[in-house]
Amino acid sequence: MEWNGAYSQWFNIHNGVIQGGVLSPVLFCVYIDDLLNALSAAGVGCHLGHMFVGALAYANDIVLISPSMHGMRLMLRICNEYASDFDVVFNASKSKCFVNRQRYSSYCSSVDDVCFFIGGHNIEVVGSWPHLGHVVSDSHGDGLDVSQRRCKFIGQVNNVLGWFSKLDCDTKTRLFKSYCSGFYGCELWDLSDVSVQSLCTSWRLALRRIWKLPYNCHKSILHILSGGLPLMDILCKRFYNFIHTCVNSVNGLVKYVARQGVLFSGMKSCMYRA
């Protein structure tokens, strides 16, 4: 179990152990299917319309989401019972709990009062945690994830300029595009976040360094020199392609959630806002 989400946020199971052996992702999905059905049938956890979205599974990870502490404790109890019946060990030390800071004050005086258990052990409450390569935060912002990617980007640019400083600008630009422009997970970002603008600033600074341009060189010509789009346009294009894929997904849950966010939820949806 990797990290368990708490009331109103996330719960994740990772590296489930059966009789001393670590499950492969495929075997995990088959073995854990009855647990997902039990969680869905419990009548608690988050629902979007008629669709149950309180237990999200990907590979060997499970995220539990509940709008109340009572619901989350019931879902964890179901997990404990399933573990007892099928000899699954959930490791609480690798589990993390997120609390929606905008809602918890209605239920308890302090986030420290939130206590959840799995396998008889307490689950740690954290403010942020990396999940599937993306840093999620109890503040619902993407600043931490974007800042982490910005630091990684700057390091990659320094490596390219350090190792290939004697090459011509065109070659360095191609290396820049190949090794410094991954931005894995950027499709999930809220593009209005101020940290995204900081990343774009670092991207333009990198192009100025590659082409040995003065720092006051106008940003409008940088993408022309690089033979591509400005970074913000690249991020918007990736986001649009991601939403288009989700809206037309063959997975019923993904399709339903994406259409709900884009067509009905409006500004309440991070998909619509971005």
Side-chain angles (χ1 to χ4, degrees):
M1 171 166 49
E2 174 66 9
W3 57 282
N4 310 356
Y7 134 73
S8 186
Q9 226 25 36
W10 304 84
F11 167 87
N12 198 11
I13 302 173
H14 175 63
N15 290 344
V17 180
I18 291 184
Q19 297 178 350
V22 178
L23 294 173
S24 69
V26 174
L27 180 57
F28 179 88
C29 291
V30 174
Y31 197 84
I32 218 72
D33 189 59
D34 287 341
L35 172 60
L36 299 178
N37 290 332
L39 291 169
S40 178
V44 296
C46 284
H47 288 75
L48 192 59
H50 68 277
M51 188 71 70
F52 174 69
V53 293
L56 308 177
Y58 179 81
N60 59 345
D61 292 294
I62 297 178
V63 176
L64 298 188
I65 313 174
S66 174
S68 68
M69 291 189 291
H70 170 75
M72 181 56 66
R73 291 193 173 104
L74 179 56
M75 297 173 80
L76 289 172
R77 187 173 67 189
I78 293 173
C79 291
N80 280 321
E81 292 173 352
Y82 184 87
S84 176
D85 292 340
F86 293 93
D87 293 328
V88 178
V89 177
F90 295 144
N91 191 341
S93 65
K94 293 185 177 180
S95 304
K96 304 300 173 184
C97 161
F98 280 94
V99 177
N100 186 335
R101 293 192 300 186
Q102 297 175 356
R103 290 174 56 93
Y104 82 84
S105 59
S106 301
Y107 296 86
C108 52
S109 59
S110 170
V111 70
D112 296 330
D113 296 334
V114 177
C115 295
F116 296 99
F117 298 86
I118 190 73
H121 299 282
N122 185 54
I123 301 171
E124 180 185 6
V125 179
V126 297
S128 63
W129 194 258
H131 173 57
L132 300 179
H134 185 81
V135 179
V136 291
S137 169
D138 60 3
S139 63
H140 297 187
D142 296 305
L144 289 175
D145 190 59
V146 178
S147 296
Q148 184 182 81
R149 302 306 169 83
R150 177 174 174 268
C151 292
K152 183 178 180 180
F153 167 76
I154 293 173
Q156 291 170 333
V157 171
N158 289 335
N159 286 336
V160 168
L161 294 177
W163 285 97
F164 306 104
S165 59
K166 296 183 180 180
L167 297 179
D168 60 90
C169 295
D170 285 326
T171 302
K172 286 190 287 187
T173 300
R174 290 197 294 271
L175 291 170
F176 169 76
K177 291 180 179 179
S178 298
Y179 297 105
C180 306
S181 302
F183 302 119
Y184 172 81
C186 66
E187 296 85 357
L188 303 176
W189 293 343
D190 180 354
L191 299 182
S192 64
D193 194 294
V194 65
S195 56
V196 176
Q197 294 298 329
S198 298
L199 177 61
C200 292
T201 299
S202 297
W203 185 84
R204 293 191 292 268
L205 177 60
L207 283 178
R208 292 188 180 98
R209 294 177 62 193
I210 289 172
W211 286 89
K212 299 180 180 179
L213 298 172
Y215 291 121
N216 60 353
C217 175
H218 200 279
K219 63 181 182 181
S220 62
I221 70 171
L222 294 176
H223 70 278
I224 299 176
L225 290 175
S226 66
L229 296 172
L231 180 57
M232 180 57 77
D233 290 354
I234 294 173
L235 297 178
C236 290
K237 182 179 179 181
R238 292 185 184 182
F239 180 80
Y240 171 78
N241 289 334
F242 172 72
I243 296 300
H244 181 269
T245 301
C246 290
V247 169
N248 296 282
S249 174
V250 296
N251 184 291
L253 177 59
V254 172
K255 183 176 181 178
Y256 180 86
V257 172
R259 288 177 177 267
Q260 180 73 20
V262 174
L263 301 178
F264 301 105
S265 297
M267 291 303 291
K268 295 181 180 179
S269 167
C270 60
M271 288 185 173
Y272 191 94
R273 290 198 306 269

